Amino acid sequence: MTTFSGMSDAPPRGSDYAHLSRRITDAGLMDRRPGYYVVRFLLVGAAVALTATAFVLLGDSPWQLLVAAAAAVGYGQVALLAHDVAHRQVFRSRVAATVTGRLLGNLGIGMSYGWWMDKHTRHHANPNHEGLDPDVAAGALVWTGEQAVAARGVTRFVNRHQALLFFPLLTLAGIDLRRSSVRGLLGERGATVRGRRLELGLLAAHAAGYLAALFMVLPPGLAIAFFVVHQGLFGVYLGSIFAPNHKGMAMPQGRLDFLRKQVITARNVRGGRLTDGLLHVAMGGLNHQIEHHLFPSMPTANLRRARPVVREFCAEIGVPYHETGLVRSWAEALGQLRHASAPLRGEGG
């Protein structure tokens, strides 16, 4: 079994993960789901086409701000498709995955597919591990007291109040990811991306087409308002997909075997009988984060079926398996932000 990065995640024979992997494979949960992805691509494509049609037909209308909100959700769903493509859930061929990923990521939403894949590979290899996982690197947010006390200038002020500022900061997440992806393509240290010129060209094409559409269809003031609503809500949506899955979970420092490293750093987000399906669609299946991290190439549609198998196995071997509701997941994530920034407020860590 291989991850989307091409690195083998096959465990030593006889390990706990090997035993679990056999159960998952015997249950058929690693089998491809081409029909599911055909339907999903068609539905997302139709939704994006309807949003674009509404944008053109409405023209100079305040209702365009609702279109901007719908477009933010559309961008999020395109990003989730790119995520599944990167994990080789959709195509066996690396070439097909790369071409589709660049069309969805670079041309579709203006974010470098190659840069993101490099970053996400490192996250999957060492989730929540400070110094190895780029998703817990210090920046506008800090995740440990040590990161907090090292902050300087404006960043220190933001870190001090980061729990209160978290959702406002998410409105900038989409823009910041694009900025980081451009820096990565231009040779930022630590980023390994092939086809940089092609990816930069696709990003430029997206930006030019997006801005041209805004200012050709809308008057300047409404175009700017559309941009702010669209990009701000897109950032909030992305944060709402990814933050509840790891933030507030263990941040291990020592060596752990593959299974424990993936399970104890992730949480599943569960809904009720009426909301679980909607939550699955909204989060692209990533509400089943534990299963996704254990089996990253498993098709999204199989994650729910894998959950009872993984949960039962973890209970058998005594590994904590954490899942909670959406509200509680946010409370735990914000609790970590408050705890990490406590030294800056003169409170106990």
Side-chain angles (χ1 to χ4, degrees):
M1 184 185 322
T2 57
T3 67
F4 71 107
S5 65
M7 298 185 301
S8 173
D9 59 20
R13 295 182 65 181
S15 70
D16 287 333
Y17 182 75
H19 292 303
L20 173 60
S21 183
R22 281 194 290 272
R23 293 190 189 182
I24 291 292
T25 302
D26 290 345
L29 295 172
M30 298 304 298
D31 294 348
R32 300 276 174 173
R33 296 288 299 273
Y36 164 79
Y37 279 109
V38 167
V39 171
R40 187 170 160 194
F41 268 82
L42 288 174
L43 288 175
V44 172
V48 171
L50 285 173
T51 302
T53 300
F55 171 76
V56 173
L57 294 179
L58 278 174
D60 184 4
S61 166
W63 291 103
Q64 288 283 14
L65 298 185
L66 289 180
V67 176
V73 176
Y75 265 40
Q77 287 294 315
V78 171
L80 287 168
L81 281 176
H83 170 272
D84 287 10
V85 167
H87 278 293
R88 300 290 187 85
Q89 297 174 22
V90 183
F91 303 106
R92 295 183 185 277
S93 164
R94 179 186 295 273
V95 173
T98 300
V99 170
T100 305
R102 285 171 174 169
L103 291 175
L104 292 171
N106 295 62
L107 191 60
I109 61 174
M111 189 182 303
S112 167
Y113 172 79
W115 166 84
W116 175 85
M117 195 168 74
D118 174 80
K119 173 178 177 288
H120 199 59
T121 298
R122 288 181 279 139
H123 161 69
H124 266 265
N126 292 284
N128 271 20
H129 196 300
E130 187 180 359
L132 297 175
D133 181 358
D135 289 351
V136 292
L141 300 173
V142 291
W143 309 102
T144 66
E146 292 77 10
Q147 290 179 341
V149 297
R152 297 291 182 268
V154 175
T155 302
R156 187 178 181 90
F157 173 83
V158 173
N159 292 161
R160 180 180 182 181
H161 304 286
Q162 61 183 14
L164 291 174
L165 295 174
F166 181 68
F167 285 102
L169 286 172
L170 282 184
T171 63
L172 303 174
I175 300 296
D176 183 63
L177 284 169
R178 290 184 179 88
R179 177 189 65 84
S180 296
S181 69
V182 170
R183 288 181 60 187
L185 291 176
L186 292 176
E188 182 183 64
R189 182 177 297 177
T192 304
V193 184
R194 295 179 179 178
R196 293 171 185 262
R197 291 184 179 180
L198 174 59
E199 291 218 8
L200 284 168
L202 291 172
L203 290 181
H206 170 86
Y210 178 78
L211 293 175
L214 283 185
F215 288 96
M216 287 176 63
V217 174
L218 305 178
L222 186 56
I224 293 171
F226 186 102
F227 178 91
V228 169
V229 172
H230 180 206
Q231 299 301 327
L233 291 182
F234 174 51
V236 172
Y237 186 29
L238 281 182
S240 298
I241 293 170
F242 292 102
N245 301 326
H246 292 283
K247 307 312 179 190
M249 295 301 295
M251 295 185 65
Q253 297 298 318
R255 293 180 61 85
L256 294 170
D257 68 285
F258 180 81
L259 184 144
R260 286 163 179 80
K261 179 166 57 176
Q262 302 300 335
V263 174
I264 70 170
T265 59
R267 81 162 60 77
N268 280 6
V269 181
R270 296 281 293 169
R273 288 185 177 181
L274 297 178
T275 60
D276 197 55
L278 179 61
L279 190 63
H280 180 86
V281 172
M283 297 184 71
L286 297 183
N287 53 315
H288 296 93
Q289 189 71 187
I290 295 172
E291 289 71 31
H292 170 62
H293 260 256
L294 286 169
F295 303 98
S297 61
M298 179 185 290
T300 294
N302 292 345
L303 293 173
R304 279 189 287 186
R305 292 169 52 207
R307 171 185 167 270
V309 179
V310 173
R311 186 175 183 181
E312 179 183 354
F313 186 81
C314 287
E316 289 176 12
I317 63 174
V319 173
Y321 179 103
H322 185 51
E323 61 181 356
T324 186
L326 183 62
V327 174
R328 180 62 186 172
S329 71
W330 279 114
E332 292 176 2
L334 293 174
Q336 181 185 12
L337 291 175
R338 285 191 293 271
H339 180 79
S341 61
L344 299 181
R345 299 189 302 274
E347 302 171 4

